[in-house]
C-alpha cells in the first residue's frame, strides 16, 4: 500500500449540490499518495451515492456516515480516519486550483512545517472570481515562516493580518501534520465550537519546536455567497467570530500588546460601517443591543463608532440602502 502524504478531510452536511465539483477539483490532480476522507452528517444518502460513483475510478476515497453531533465533533471524527502525514481541511463547497496539490507538497518537502496556511480566491456561488481577493497578510509576496512562541514574531504576524483567516478561521486553507493534531488533548470547552480546529491548530503552534509556514498563493476557490454558518441568522454568524475568538484570545494570548493587536484585527475583519450595521438592524430588542454592545466594547470599538452602529443600524431601510449602494460601488 502506498504511503499517504496528504489527506483532504471534508466534513459535509446536506451539501450534495457542490460536492461533486469539490471532488473533481481534487481528483483532477490526484496521485497515489493523496486521499480524500469524507465525514457525512447529512440527513439523506445523496452524498454517499455521489461518493460511491467517484470511488469506482479512484480508490483512495474514504467515506464515513456520522451522527451529526455538531461540526467540531464531526470534523474531529473525520480527521481521525485520515492516514496521511498531513491533513488539508476542506469544505464540501470549495474547490482547489490547478497545481495546488503539487505546490503544497513541494512546500512540505522543502520545510516540513507543523502547520501550513495558503490563501483563497473569493468567488460567486458559481465559482466565478468576483473581485481582487486580498491575501491574509498585507504586502507579502513569498512563503514565510513565523514563530508563534515568539511574542515579537506573533505580534508582527497579527499586525500584518487583514483578516482572521490568517488565524485559521477559514478552514479550507489550513494544512497540518496529523501526528501533531492527534497529540492534542480533546477538551469539552472547544469541541462543540465551529472553531474547534482553530483551538487545536494554535495548540500545535504553541508546542516547542513547532513550525508555521505561510504562503501567499491563492490555492482555493471559495464560494463567498454560500456561507453555511448563516443558517441561524446574520447576527449569530458574526457572534460566531466575536465569541469564538474571544475564548481563544483569553486562553492563548497572555500578552496585552498581542491581545490588543488581535482585537484590532477583529475590527478590520468587521468594520463598524459594514457588517455590524446589518447586525444592529436585525436585533429585536434593547436587551439584544446591550448584548451586542458588550461584544463591541470587548473588541475596543471606539464609543463614537458604537454610537454610529446603534443610530444608523436601527433603521432597516437605511441599512438596506447602504448595502445596495456598497454593491453598486464595488
Amino acid at each position: 500500500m502506498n504511503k499517504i502524504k496528504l489527506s483532504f478531510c471534508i466534513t459535509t452536511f446536506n451539501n450534495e449540490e457542490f460536492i461533486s465539483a469539490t471532488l473533481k477539483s481534487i481528483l483532477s490532480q490526484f496521485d497515489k499518495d493523496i486521499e480524500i476522507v469524507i465525514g457525512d452528517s447529512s440527513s439523506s444518502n445523496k452524498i454517499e451515492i455521489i461518493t460511491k460513483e467517484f470511488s469506482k475510478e479512484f480508490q483512495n476515497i474514504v467515506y464515513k456516515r456520522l451522527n451529526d453531533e455538531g461540526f467540531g465533533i464531526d470534523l474531529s471524527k473525520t480527521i481521525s480516519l485520515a492516514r496521511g502525514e498531513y491533513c488539508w481541511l476542506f469544505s464540501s463547497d470549495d474547490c482547489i486550483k490547478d497545481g495546488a496539490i503539487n505546490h503544497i507538497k513541494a512546500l512540505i518537502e522543502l520545510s516540513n512545517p507543523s502547520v501550513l496556511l495558503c490563501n483563497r480566491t473569493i468567488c460567486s456561488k458559481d465559482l466565478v472570481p468576483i473581485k481582487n481577493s486580498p491575501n491574509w497578510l498585507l504586502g507579502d509576496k513569498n512563503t514565510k515562516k513565523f514563530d508563534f512562541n515568539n511574542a515579537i514574531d506573533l505580534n508582527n504576524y497579527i499586525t500584518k493580518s487583514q483578516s482572521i483567516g490568517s488565524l485559521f478561521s477559514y478552514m479550507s486553507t489550513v494544512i497540518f501534520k496529523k501526528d501533531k493534531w492527534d497529540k492534542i488533548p480533546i477538551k469539552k470547552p472547544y469541541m462543540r465550537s465551529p472553531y474547534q480546529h482553530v483551538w487545536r491548530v494554535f495548540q500545535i503552534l504553541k508546542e516547542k519546536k513547532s513550525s508555521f509556514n505561510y504562503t501567499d498563493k491563492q490555492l482555493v476557490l471559495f464560494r463567498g455567497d454560500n456561507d453555511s454558518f448563516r443558517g441561524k441568522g446574520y447576527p449569530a454568524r458574526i457572534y460566531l467570530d466575536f465569541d469564538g475568538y474571544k475564548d481563544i484570545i483569553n486562553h492563548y494570548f497572555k500578552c496585552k500588546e498581542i491581545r490588543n493587536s488581535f482585537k484590532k484585527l477583529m475590527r478590520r475583519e468587521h468594520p463598524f460601517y459594514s457588517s455590524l450595521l446589518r447586525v444592529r438592524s436585525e436585533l429585536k430588542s434593547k436587551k439584544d443591543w446591550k448584548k451586542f454592545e458588550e461584544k463591541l466594547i470587548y473588541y475596543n470599538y471606539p464609543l463614537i463608532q458604537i454610537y454610529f452602529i446603534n443610530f444608523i443600524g436601527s433603521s432597516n431601510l437605511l441599512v438596506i440602502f447602504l448595502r445596495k449602494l456598497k454593491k453598486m460601488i464595488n
Side-chain angles (χ1 to χ4, degrees), residues 26-42:
I26 299 171
L27 293 171
S28 66
Q29 307 174 48
F30 219 50
D31 206 343
K32 293 179 180 179
D33 61 351
I34 304 296
E35 73 170 357
I36 299 173
V37 181
I38 300 172
D40 183 12
S41 307
S42 303

Side-chain angles (χ1 to χ4, degrees), residues 53-246:
E53 284 299 310
F54 280 100
S55 297
K56 292 177 182 179
E57 186 175 354
F58 299 95
Q59 292 184 342
N60 288 351
I61 300 179
V62 179
Y63 173 88
K64 178 69 174 180
R65 188 80 176 196
L66 302 177
N67 295 322
D68 190 16
E69 297 179 74
F71 176 77
I73 293 176
D74 289 350
L75 175 64
S76 186
K77 288 184 175 181
T78 302
I79 294 169
S80 70
L81 300 170
R83 297 174 294 154
E85 180 184 354
Y86 281 84
C87 291
W88 188 338
L89 302 185
F90 217 77
S91 296
S92 58
D93 58 349
D94 294 331
C95 292
I96 58 171
K97 292 185 178 181
D98 291 342
I101 290 178
N102 284 339
H103 185 79
I104 290 300
K105 286 168 67 175
L107 291 177
I108 289 172
E109 291 298 324
L110 180 66
S111 55
N112 192 36
S114 305
V115 177
L116 201 161
L117 182 71
C118 65
N119 278 273
R120 67 180 181 181
T121 297
I122 301 172
C123 303
S124 69
K125 202 171 183 179
D126 298 323
L127 283 188
V128 177
I130 58 176
K131 59 182 177 180
N132 293 324
S133 302
N135 282 341
W136 302 136
L137 296 192
L138 183 66
D140 279 337
K141 299 298 182 183
N142 300 292
T143 297
K144 292 192 175 183
K145 296 180 180 180
F146 293 90
D147 183 359
F148 275 39
N149 287 307
N150 181 298
I152 295 175
D153 212 22
L154 175 58
N155 193 58
N156 179 47
Y157 180 80
I158 297 173
T159 300
K160 294 172 70 175
S161 297
Q162 302 190 84
S163 165
I164 59 173
S166 70
L167 296 178
F168 320 114
S169 65
Y170 178 60
M171 192 176 66
S172 293
T173 55
V174 179
I175 302 110
F176 53 79
K177 269 191 170 183
K178 185 173 187 293
D179 64 344
K180 299 281 188 181
W181 174 279
D182 289 341
K183 292 176 183 177
I184 303 303
I186 295 175
K187 297 180 180 180
K188 289 184 179 179
Y190 59 72
M191 281 305 291
R192 294 198 175 274
S193 167
Y195 285 146
Q196 181 239 137
H197 68 284
V198 180
W199 279 90
R200 296 176 79 171
V201 168
F202 263 111
Q203 188 63 41
I204 292 172
L205 293 176
K206 297 300 287 184
E207 299 292 329
K208 292 182 179 180
K209 297 183 179 180
S210 66
S211 57
F212 170 60
N213 276 31
Y214 165 87
T215 176
D216 67 334
K217 295 294 184 182
Q218 296 184 358
L219 303 179
V220 178
L221 297 172
F222 162 60
R223 295 184 199 270
D225 294 333
N226 192 51
D227 190 339
S228 59
F229 289 113
R230 290 187 185 180
K232 294 182 180 180
Y234 194 75
R237 175 60 187 90
I238 303 303
Y239 290 0
L240 186 153
D241 291 344
F242 280 174
D243 297 339
Y245 271 96
K246 178 181 179 181

Side-chain angles (χ1 to χ4, degrees), residues 272 301-309:
F272 74 96
Y301 284 86
L303 292 179
I304 187 65
Q305 293 183 7
I306 295 175
Y307 175 81
F308 180 87
I309 292 167

